[in-house]
Amino acid sequence: MAVSIRGRPIRSLRMRGRNDSGEENVPLDLTREPSDNLREILQNVAKPHGVTNMRKLGHLNNFIKLLISIGHCEEKFGFTYEEIIICLRLALLNEAKEVRAAGLRVLRYLIRDSNVLQKVLRLQVDYLIARCIDIQQSNEGERTQALRLVRKMITVNALLFPSSVTNSLIAVGTDGLQERDRMVRAAIAIVCELALKNPEVVANRGGLSTILKSVIDCQLSRINEALITTILHLLNHPHTRQYVRNDVELEQILAPFTDFHYRHNADTSEIQLKEDRDARFLSSRMAIVAAFRSWSGEPNHHLSCGYNVCLFVLLCFSGLT
């Protein structure tokens, strides 16, 4: 079997992404019966010993080629979706991040409707997806594939979205900045998307509070407006208004103006406190302005009159009116 090393040592290739991962050049004969090809792929992926990780990576990439060639026809597979998913989830437990990333990519191609998604969730693959999102060990390629799979799940059927993955996304969005996690904005964007399509699962896991916290973290006007607009969209509809707690969550955007001793992060040093407070003032101001711009001028029954007056007074004192 020919091995393509692409002129670089295998040790250095382990740190590369999928396009430069050094996987073995595993041949795929599309003239064979699809069931025979799939059997060979699944056998090699599921074997605990005797198959190198780079060879498993080659077989996982061949799975996608086969799927594109024959389509999603269970009769041609020769296996049920449950049997395929059971074999593929072993890839998510592999010690090599390249294999885990390839496994996530295969699942993204495999999930095409609610029926397949339900089977994935029934086999508890969502916990392995959450694990891939949580791991931070120079594995951005793997986490990127996990987030792309998560978005596919939302697109297929957001009402089936699992709370396990929601918890991981919210955790990254809440504490990611302190951990210098580069996936923070991507995670928050997905939480916002999920909040529009399945607000219940986001609200029950504290995701709306995370979105509002991110509003105060962001000094970029367009991102800040997009975040606060997600909350305003939920407030605008009677059937989703119940998920936003006015007295707890919405007050976060006012805190920099109303709380004299406000600190966004408890570990902010005294030297950095003034600079940090100015940044929070700017973020809060952007959010308040965006909220008022969304108001048509008609009586706003879902917010108390006192709340609107409070916002107006704050705008006057901050020079925004």
Side-chain angles (χ1 to χ4, degrees):
M1 183 64 64
V3 180
S4 176
I5 308 180
R6 300 179 186 174
R8 300 181 184 179
I10 293 178
R11 181 176 297 178
S12 65
L13 289 170
R14 290 176 182 171
M15 303 303 293
R16 304 291 177 180
R18 183 182 60 81
N19 292 330
D20 193 15
S21 57
E23 73 270 15
E24 290 191 21
N25 184 21
V26 181
L28 176 64
D29 185 2
L30 294 176
T31 61
R32 294 173 61 192
E33 284 295 321
S35 58
D36 294 335
N37 278 325
L38 187 56
R39 181 179 294 105
E40 180 184 352
I41 291 171
L42 296 179
Q43 284 177 346
N44 282 275
V45 170
K47 278 183 181 178
H49 306 290
V51 181
T52 65
N53 288 331
M54 294 302 101
R55 185 169 179 78
K56 288 185 178 182
L57 181 58
H59 280 291
L60 287 168
N61 290 335
N62 281 348
F63 185 99
I64 296 174
K65 296 174 185 177
L66 181 64
L67 197 61
I68 294 174
S69 175
I70 66 175
H72 291 75
C73 183
E74 196 170 2
E75 291 77 15
K76 293 182 179 179
F77 290 160
F79 297 89
T80 64
Y81 275 109
E82 287 87 350
E83 292 170 335
I84 294 172
I85 294 168
I86 288 172
C87 292
L88 291 177
R89 70 181 180 181
L90 294 174
L92 305 188
L93 294 169
N94 194 281
E95 71 276 7
K97 60 189 177 184
E98 295 88 354
V99 176
R100 296 196 301 269
L104 293 165
R105 182 166 174 258
V106 170
L107 285 172
R108 174 162 56 87
Y109 276 86
L110 188 66
I111 298 174
R112 65 184 296 268
D113 54 33
S114 298
N115 182 41
V116 180
L117 179 57
Q118 285 178 328
K119 293 174 181 178
V120 169
L121 299 178
R122 192 180 305 124
L123 292 169
Q124 299 184 334
V125 180
D126 54 301
Y127 293 100
L128 300 179
I129 299 171
R131 175 176 176 267
C132 292
I133 295 173
D134 285 338
I135 296 175
Q136 292 188 57
Q137 295 177 351
S138 302
N139 60 330
E140 289 186 5
E142 174 190 357
R143 299 180 77 203
T144 299
Q145 290 296 338
L147 294 182
R148 294 181 72 180
L149 172 58
V150 166
R151 292 204 65 219
K152 179 66 175 291
M153 294 165 66
I154 295 174
T155 301
V156 170
N157 193 338
L159 297 179
L160 294 176
F161 199 83
S163 58
S164 57
V165 180
T166 306
N167 287 337
S168 294
L169 293 171
I170 292 172
V172 173
T174 302
D175 300 322
L177 283 179
Q178 285 73 32
E179 300 293 332
R180 299 183 182 277
D181 192 337
R182 297 177 63 180
M183 297 292 174
V184 174
R185 287 183 179 173
I188 289 295
I190 293 174
V191 171
C192 288
E193 182 180 3
L194 182 60
L196 297 177
K197 296 185 177 181
N198 187 354
E200 183 176 1
V201 70
V202 175
N204 290 342
R205 300 297 168 177
L208 300 183
S209 182
T210 297
I211 294 173
L212 286 167
K213 178 180 180 295
S214 299
V215 170
I216 306 301
D217 275 325
C218 181
Q219 287 83 48
L220 299 175
S221 59
R222 291 192 177 182
I223 298 179
N224 186 292
E225 185 176 355
L227 292 171
I228 194 64
T229 301
T230 301
I231 304 298
L232 296 175
H233 177 82
L234 298 179
L235 283 172
N236 196 47
H237 297 279
H239 65 284
T240 57
R241 195 172 298 157
Q242 58 181 314
Y243 299 118
V244 184
R245 298 174 296 173
N246 297 343
D247 57 335
V248 178
E249 292 172 331
L250 281 179
E251 289 185 358
Q252 290 187 47
I253 65 173
L254 298 176
F257 286 100
T258 59
D259 187 354
F260 183 75
H261 301 287
Y262 176 76
R263 284 197 182 199
H264 191 62
N265 297 310
D267 56 351
T268 303
S269 64
E270 293 294 335
I271 299 175
Q272 299 174 329
L273 185 58
K274 185 180 184 304
E275 182 181 349
D276 181 76
R277 187 171 294 174
D278 290 341
R280 307 309 166 190
F281 276 136
L282 178 60
S283 300
S284 178
R285 182 183 302 180
M286 289 178 181
I288 293 171
V289 169
F292 265 80
R293 284 175 177 168
S294 70
W295 185 35
S296 63
E298 299 177 358
N300 204 351
H301 298 295
H302 61 269
L303 292 179
S304 67
C305 179
Y307 197 89
N308 280 328
V309 171
C310 179
L311 286 173
F312 180 75
V313 171
L314 288 172
L315 286 173
C316 290
F317 277 103
S318 60
L320 294 176
T321 56

